[in-house]
Amino acid sequence: MKRILFGMIGFLAILTPLFAKEGVSRNELQELIGDSYVMTQDHDSALKEYQDVLKTDPANKRARIGLADVLSWQKKYDEAVTEYKKVLDAAPEYIAVQKKLADVYVWKKDYSGALALYEGLISRYSGDPKMTISLAGTISRLGKLEEAKTLLRGVLRKDPDNTDAQVLLA
């Protein structure tokens, strides 16, 4: 694992002058380095890279999402929520971030927070079975089992082979 990490960092070090010639900014390079740390599961180093980008470019959504992702993987849920909300303040319709935020709410057992986000997403994107399954899972955690089963059955009517819905319904 360390060999891969050092190889990736070495590769990026070699490419740095090339990026500079192509107009890639230092922040973009740091984002790439942060992403490479994520790929090798060196979350502490990734966190540092994303934080460094945000010091000079606080509006950088990509770095902020990367930071929030890492914080959520480190189970620093409240900090992750704060970072995802900053992205949504700047880009309220960012669906992927809304979904990530809802997931973090589930992980921190704030099911009502997750429910509000999933319901909003479902109202706009009702055809997405993954979103419906996530909503059903959250609803079941709130003790509304029949309502969750109804949602899962709806997924199975559209896609009888959906194994996620089948497993949750069993």
Side-chain angles (χ1 to χ4, degrees), residues 11-80:
F11 179 70
L12 287 171
I14 292 167
L15 291 179
T16 301
L18 297 174
F19 282 137
K21 288 180 185 175
E22 295 297 320
V24 174
S25 73
R26 177 176 170 77
N27 282 348
E28 290 170 313
L29 181 59
Q30 281 186 284
E31 289 170 17
L32 290 171
I33 293 170
D35 294 346
S36 69
Y37 281 129
V38 166
M39 290 173 16
T40 60
Q41 297 185 8
D42 183 353
H43 295 151
D44 291 332
S45 296
L47 202 64
K48 182 189 176 312
E49 294 297 331
Y50 294 133
Q51 288 169 331
D52 286 349
V53 170
L54 292 168
K55 284 178 190 171
T56 58
D57 184 6
N60 187 310
K61 288 188 274 301
R62 183 170 175 233
R64 192 161 305 282
I65 292 167
L67 174 66
D69 288 346
V70 172
L71 290 168
S72 71
W73 299 329
Q74 292 180 330
K75 299 184 181 189
K76 297 177 181 175
Y77 300 133
D78 291 333
E79 293 175 58

Side-chain angles (χ1 to χ4, degrees), residues 1 9 11 14 21 29 34 37 40 42 45 54 61 63 65 88 100 104 113 115 123 129 132-134 140 143 162-163:
M1 180 66 84
I9 292 171
F11 179 70
I14 292 167
K21 288 180 185 175
L29 181 59
Y37 281 129
T40 60
D42 183 353
S45 296
L54 292 168
K61 288 188 274 301
I65 292 167
L88 291 173
K100 288 176 183 226
V104 171
L115 183 63
S123 71
T132 304
I133 290 168
S134 294
S140 71
N162 189 306
T163 54

